[in-house]
Amino acid sequence: MIPVERHQQILALVADRGVVSIAELTERLGVSHMTIRRDVQKLEEQGAVLSVSGGVRSADRLAAEPSHLTKSALYNDEKRAIGRTAARHIPRNSCIYLDAGTTTLALARELVDRDDLLVVTNDFMVANLLMEASQCRVIHTGGTVCRENRSCVGESAARSLRHLAIDIAFISASCWGPRGLFTPDEDKVTVKQAVSEVSSKRVLLSDSSKYNRIATFLALPLEKFDVVVTDKKLSDAGQEWLSAGSWELILAS
């Protein structure tokens, strides 16, 4: 049986059962434990399945973007740790981009004592915080207003970014994994791609609860990032895989 046939059978079993053990896959497909592990790793890289202890399950799919209010109540300790860690890596007199999101808002809170930064953002909460509490210069992208997420999206926001030269872009994620950064909102894709194109350094900021989840639209492949900052609750398998990538993995503390 060639790999693509095994992959199809694995996906069919997972779709039918939800979770399937490695032992059962080995027996059903008549191949070695290591062959199944390689098959599962390939499917995981494609965002089709997720590895669990002793087996494999279907990937979590994010159907809709949670509101800012919903996200602001979740994983706050992890977001504060990510914000503190990321702030330590911002040189003086930098031009940075803070993407929309509660994790980037946590980073913004770490910057209120800075007076040397030019901060570009599409997030109203980030812009308001820095306008009221810091001496940073602030540029808001403008664009189509996304009320629930307190931000601007779409081509007009992306167009404003394409005229800039940004030192470090801190990009948020609704969900992410080996294939890259996903979003259920197509209007966010063009903004993330635009800022990636004009930034010298790209940093993914996301807590580990969003790892190994997918949504409809792939915004950026993981290879586009220079650094990934997440929290120490990332699974051992995730840490092992991400540590082998071309990017730097930083676990926030």
Side-chain angles (χ1 to χ4, degrees):
M1 186 183 299
I2 63 175
V4 67
E5 292 175 326
R6 291 198 307 273
H7 294 173
Q8 289 171 350
Q9 291 203 29
I10 292 169
L11 290 174
L13 282 166
V14 169
D16 181 57
R17 304 265 295 281
V19 179
V20 184
S21 71
I22 297 297
E24 181 178 350
L25 291 173
T26 299
E27 182 178 351
R28 278 178 173 264
L29 301 181
V31 294
S32 70
H33 184 276
M34 288 305 298
T35 297
I36 291 298
R37 285 290 185 189
R38 286 194 293 269
D39 288 341
V40 168
Q41 181 179 0
K42 186 67 175 178
L43 290 170
E44 193 168 22
E45 289 173 1
Q46 296 169 1
V49 300
L50 297 177
S51 293
V52 296
S53 179
V56 60
R57 68 176 174 85
S58 57
D60 290 335
R61 177 175 288 273
L62 183 66
E65 180 76 27
S67 69
H68 175 88
L69 183 62
T70 297
K71 292 187 290 186
S72 66
L74 301 172
Y75 304 103
N76 286 320
D77 289 344
E78 290 81 4
K79 291 172 184 177
R80 281 191 290 268
I82 291 169
R84 286 194 303 270
T85 299
R88 294 196 290 264
H89 290 79
I90 303 176
R92 286 192 59 81
N93 301 313
S94 296
C95 173
I96 67 171
Y97 173 77
L98 298 186
D99 202 8
T102 51
T103 307
T104 47
L105 180 59
L107 170 54
R109 292 190 178 106
E110 300 295 323
L111 304 178
V112 295
D113 293 329
R114 300 282 295 263
D115 61 2
D116 59 296
L117 301 175
L118 171 57
V119 180
V120 182
T121 186
N122 65 331
D123 190 297
F124 289 112
M125 304 298 288
V126 168
N128 187 66
L129 171 71
L130 295 177
M131 180 176 64
E132 296 291 339
S134 82
Q135 295 302 311
C136 296
R137 296 168 60 203
V138 180
I139 296 175
H140 196 283
T141 63
T144 302
V145 174
C146 179
R147 288 182 174 86
E148 286 199 340
N149 281 285
R150 309 289 196 267
S151 65
C152 284
V153 296
E155 178 56 32
S156 53
R159 191 181 307 118
S160 70
L161 289 167
R162 294 191 186 105
H163 296 290
L164 302 174
I166 293 170
D167 296 314
I168 310 174
F170 293 96
I171 300 175
S172 62
S174 305
C175 45
W176 60 289
R179 280 186 65 194
L181 186 160
F182 288 86
T183 175
D185 186 347
E186 189 173 11
D187 285 337
K188 290 187 174 184
V189 173
T190 186
V191 177
K192 294 180 190 297
Q193 291 179 345
V195 75
S196 173
E197 292 166 3
V198 300
S199 299
S200 298
K201 185 175 183 178
R202 291 154 293 276
V203 181
L204 172 60
L205 293 187
S206 183
D207 69 79
S208 61
S209 72
K210 299 173 184 176
Y211 181 69
N212 257 341
R213 303 189 70 191
I214 60 171
T216 303
F217 302 101
L218 176 63
L220 290 169
L222 214 56
E223 289 76 14
K224 287 287 186 181
F225 290 92
D226 303 287
V227 182
V228 173
V229 184
T230 187
D231 60 81
K232 290 187 173 181
K233 292 183 180 178
L234 182 68
S235 66
D236 291 343
Q239 290 186 38
E240 181 179 357
W241 191 89
L242 287 164
S243 295
S246 59
W247 48 83
E248 178 186 4
L249 173 64
I250 299 176
L251 299 178
S253 56

